[in-house]
Amino acid sequence: MPQLLSLIVPFYNEEDAVGIFAASVCPVLEAIPDTQWEIICVDDGSRDATLPRLLELAAAEPRIRVVELSRNFGKEAALTAGLEAARGDAVIPIDADLQDPPELIPAMVAAWRGGAEVVAGRRTDRSTDTAMKRGTASLFYRLNRYISNIELPENVGDFRLMDRAVVEALKRLPERQRFMKGLFAWLGFKTAIIDYTRTPRTAGESKFSGFKLWNFALEGFTSFSTTPLKIWTYLGALGAVIALLYAVFIMLRTLIFGNAVPGYASIFVAVTFFGSVQLISIGVLGEYIGRIYVETKQRPIYLVRKFHNF
Ligand code: UDP
Ligand code: MG
């Protein structure tokens, strides 16, 4: 029995990438021995001609299947939709813009057949990303190592081969807010790493920028660590100790030198400082409460309008 390989590709406003993607991926898949393949294209509510182009491909090639989402749910939700629709013995999420080189897929399959349950691609060279993006990414990983109990392997993205067992495990994680990198890391399993160079986008432009990346980082921290909640206990304790020492100092000074009535500046500084600290800590609480709120609603992660070629 040949094994089935499923590719999962999220598409959001990628009309120019659709054709190039299929043209470069299909030959690679055909050349892998003893495998059948399917490509699950998830249209994440694109507003351009992405969907009609995908359907055109699907009409000509029954192994290209299309999951049409009802609106834009974001990449993580689109990947989840693809994972749930995939039937392969091994599943590989891959970006539509060919920034994850399809040429790596045969090597991933070989490592999987050699016994690895996860074969992750690691970017050795991110020179195609902006200096800003590289800098903030590295800061994120470093900070995450301090505050989180799950170590995120650096420069490893969503491009990875997963055995069926791993996919089934991933499907059991029910959270609505899906920080995929973290979820992958949380799963464990026997993992092999393959290095590759990240190439520039083939067409279109990146959907992740500035504020979106910041929110992504917050998601990462709050999904896998409660440290940001706990530091306030210690900061508060430290502040209380300092305040107490200062009170003792003032009392002694008054007893020894009498009361000279200054102190406007120190009171003002203390009031504004602790006011801001309290606002920040309330903000951190808010981040977590907001996430609890979203999780308790138990809404589906994505909605499908239609399955094509299933
Ligand atoms: N994507 C998606 N939904 C979104 C944003 C992005 O499905 O809301 C897809 C996008 O079409 C692409 C992949 O996610 O296939 C990666 O996006 P992008 O290349 O913009 O991210 P970057 O490579 O810049 O991190
Ligand atoms: Mg990209």
Side-chain angles (χ1 to χ4, degrees):
M1 265 287 275
Q3 288 166 307
L4 176 65
L5 192 64
S6 302
L7 248 57
I8 297 172
V9 202
F11 285 85
Y12 177 52
N13 294 346
E14 304 276 11
E15 56 182 5
D16 297 324
V18 173
I20 316 170
F21 178 82
S24 42
V25 166
C26 293
V28 174
L29 294 178
E30 283 298 356
I32 301 174
D34 303 323
T35 34
Q36 294 182 325
W37 55 266
E38 62 173 0
I39 301 179
I40 300 191
C41 305
V42 183
D43 175 52
D44 188 14
S46 299
R47 271 180 277 264
D48 61 1
T50 303
L51 182 63
R53 292 204 182 153
L54 285 175
L55 294 182
E56 234 169 77
L57 283 179
E61 169 56 79
R63 289 172 291 182
I64 296 185
R65 314 185 203 285
V66 179
V67 179
E68 195 185 321
L69 300 189
S70 66
R71 64 168 169 85
N72 178 248
F73 282 90
K75 181 182 178 187
E76 318 273 308
L79 280 182
T80 306
L83 279 171
E84 285 179 0
R87 283 171 292 199
D89 301 296
V91 174
I92 306 180
I94 181 171
D95 281 358
D97 56 11
L98 293 178
Q99 284 197 291
D100 308 326
E103 299 73 43
L104 216 63
I105 295 174
M108 286 178 155
V109 172
W112 170 55
R113 290 194 169 142
E117 291 157 315
V118 176
V119 188
R122 180 169 58 197
R123 310 159 196 172
T124 47
D125 174 17
R126 293 185 59 153
S127 54
T128 55
D129 284 333
T130 59
M132 178 75 177
K133 188 158 179 179
R134 269 178 287 152
T136 47
S138 132
L139 184 69
F140 168 77
Y141 285 115
R142 240 179 309 148
L143 214 60
N144 196 75
R145 208 160 325 138
Y146 283 119
I147 69 167
S148 173
N149 6 18
I150 296 291
E151 171 138 12
L152 294 180
E154 199 156 340
N155 291 330
V156 172
D158 299 332
F159 184 39
R160 58 181 57 224
L161 179 147
M162 283 175 282
D163 185 73
R164 175 50 46 188
V166 181
V167 176
E168 290 305 318
L170 192 57
K171 289 203 303 202
R172 289 182 53 198
L173 304 186
E175 46 251 81
R176 319 284 117 177
Q177 301 191 312
R178 305 183 73 76
F179 184 67
M180 279 293 184
K181 272 181 215 284
L183 297 184
F184 288 142
W186 187 87
L187 290 175
F189 286 96
K190 271 185 283 175
T191 304
I193 300 271
I194 297 184
D195 289 322
Y196 70 98
T197 314
R198 195 145 166 94
T199 47
R201 259 182 165 271
T202 48
E205 54 192 34
S206 174
K207 273 87 197 164
F208 292 89
S209 55
F211 199 60
K212 219 167 166 188
L213 278 174
W214 161 249
N215 275 322
F216 196 54
L218 267 189
E219 195 69 60
F221 291 139
T222 53
S223 297
F224 288 89
S225 166
T226 49
T227 309
L229 282 174
K230 292 177 191 153
I231 49 177
W232 302 103
T233 316
Y234 302 99
L235 276 183
L238 187 71
V241 169
I242 293 172
L244 210 69
L245 290 178
Y246 189 56
V248 171
F249 166 73
I250 290 175
M251 277 193 294
L252 288 178
R253 195 181 57 179
T254 314
L255 286 177
I256 297 167
F257 298 108
N259 191 355
V261 200
Y264 167 74
S266 56
I267 288 175
F268 189 76
V269 168
V271 166
T272 50
F273 176 74
F274 286 108
S276 330
V277 168
Q278 279 164 3
L279 278 184
I280 295 171
S281 68
I282 292 172
V284 173
L285 285 180
E287 288 290 336
Y288 281 89
I289 293 174
R291 280 169 174 77
I292 296 170
Y293 176 62
V294 170
E295 294 295 336
T296 51
K297 284 194 282 192
Q298 292 283 303
R299 289 196 182 144
I301 297 164
Y302 60 87
L303 290 176
V304 176
R305 178 178 299 119
K306 201 161 178 221
F307 291 100
H308 304 264
N309 276 357
F310 276 87

